[in-house]
Amino acid sequence: MSLNPADSRPLYHQLASLLREQIQTGELAPGDRFPTEGDLSEKYATSRNTVRLALDVLRNEGLIISQRGRGSFVRADPPMRYYASLTGSRKKRLEADRRRDTFSQQIEAQGKTPHQVSTVETLPATAEVAAHLGVEPGTPVVARRRVMYADDQPLQLGDSYYPLDIVQDSKIMSPDDVLEGTDQVLEDLGHTPTRYEDEITWRMPSVEEATSLHLGPATPVGRLLRTSIDQNDRPIELYQVILPGDRHVLLYEVDAE
């Protein structure tokens, strides 16, 4: 079997398309070891560099994973579903009887064990943070940064920024897990989140993000920036979540009313 040099697509795109189809049809099943670069080069009469580029495409799409010293495998687990319209849901939070935040609920519902590592610091608001929180740049805000895991795999990065005058001396100031979720803490402080404004962009990760999330080369990330607004129309939190493109499906439920 060979690739078609008359095809307008680059050879590695053609090869990626053929291999993708084999994954989608089940010819290459979840968990299967992928053929080696040498085997693919011989089978499709193409260079190893073309094979390598094609595998990079599939890796960045989250279809295959590589293990050092073992080779490449068809991803056994489907991408994690990130239910953006349910993250922060007061109904879901109350259904959990204040014991589980919505991130933990979503991860557990997909058969994984959630875990978070948090740090907290007070710092001057950047121009972006200040604009979303409705404060002057340089105003002290509390930054709560989390590396969020599903089982032992880093899955997301979540950074939250709060006006210091709202959260000072609350659980949000501690790096310990807030089992009931920070939205519940805000509500207990008299600032009930009543609506959210989302901004979604896609980009390449920073070096720090790639390191924290153990990302492979050329793996893009989604960036969801959510502003929480309370019953008095005051912005009370700016939440940035970084979602690796090879590990997530972003879902919204939209009411048609």
Side-chain angles (χ1 to χ4, degrees):
M1 185 180 297
S2 61
L3 305 178
N4 181 7
D7 193 315
S8 61
R9 296 174 299 167
L11 292 177
Y12 76 92
H13 279 180
Q14 295 181 46
L15 180 55
S17 180
L18 290 171
L19 297 173
R20 185 187 301 110
E21 183 177 358
Q22 292 174 31
I23 294 172
Q24 292 171 342
T25 60
E27 183 178 343
L28 287 169
D32 279 358
R33 183 191 297 272
F34 231 66
T36 66
E37 290 182 5
D39 289 342
L40 290 171
S41 176
E42 181 178 350
K43 180 177 180 179
Y44 293 98
T46 190
S47 70
R48 283 193 178 224
N49 188 58
T50 295
V51 171
R52 195 169 297 118
L53 291 172
L55 294 180
D56 283 344
V57 170
L58 300 180
R59 194 174 295 111
N60 293 339
E61 292 177 357
L63 296 176
I64 66 174
I65 58 174
S66 296
Q67 299 179 9
R68 188 181 299 276
R70 297 192 61 206
S72 296
F73 297 81
V74 180
R75 181 182 286 277
D77 293 328
M80 298 298 291
R81 298 180 296 278
Y82 185 85
Y83 293 95
S85 53
L86 297 181
T87 301
S89 166
R90 187 170 188 270
K91 179 181 178 182
K92 288 292 182 183
R93 173 161 41 89
L94 295 178
E95 285 176 354
D97 195 25
R98 297 167 56 107
R99 288 191 294 268
R100 306 300 288 152
D101 60 50
T102 52
F103 168 77
S104 297
Q105 292 177 59
Q106 289 191 29
I107 299 305
E108 289 170 348
Q110 297 175 69
K112 303 287 186 179
T113 301
H115 172 59
Q116 302 183 38
V117 176
S118 304
T119 60
V120 178
E121 61 179 324
T122 300
L123 43 72
T126 64
E128 180 179 57
V129 171
H132 284 82
L133 290 180
V135 299
E136 291 295 323
T139 300
V141 295
V142 174
R144 184 179 179 87
R145 308 184 192 279
R146 285 151 287 183
V147 182
M148 307 160 86
Y149 293 81
D151 291 341
D152 294 324
Q153 182 184 47
L155 186 67
Q156 305 167 12
L157 300 179
D159 293 350
S160 293
Y161 301 89
Y162 306 89
L164 179 60
D165 65 297
I166 290 179
V167 301
Q168 194 162 28
D169 300 324
S170 73
K171 286 185 178 182
I172 288 173
M173 299 293 294
S174 169
D176 295 338
D177 284 351
V178 180
L179 296 181
E180 68 269 36
T182 54
D183 278 355
Q184 185 62 56
V185 174
L186 289 168
E187 183 169 336
D188 292 343
L189 292 170
H191 297 272
T192 302
T194 57
R195 63 186 178 91
Y196 305 97
E197 295 178 357
D198 285 358
E199 300 175 19
I200 303 172
T201 53
W202 291 263
R203 58 170 171 77
M204 299 307 296
S206 67
V207 173
E208 293 79 8
E209 290 166 348
T211 300
S212 295
L213 291 167
H214 302 175
L215 299 181
T219 303
V221 296
R223 181 194 191 224
L224 188 153
L225 202 62
R226 169 169 290 182
T227 305
S228 301
I229 300 170
D230 73 3
Q231 72 277 14
N232 297 314
D233 213 33
R234 179 182 178 181
I236 55 175
E237 178 187 4
L238 177 64
Y239 179 52
Q240 172 186 266
V241 60
I242 301 296
L243 305 167
D246 64 342
R247 301 173 200 169
H248 288 88
V249 173
L250 182 62
L251 299 174
Y252 275 90
E253 181 178 303
V254 180
D255 193 335
E257 289 295 330

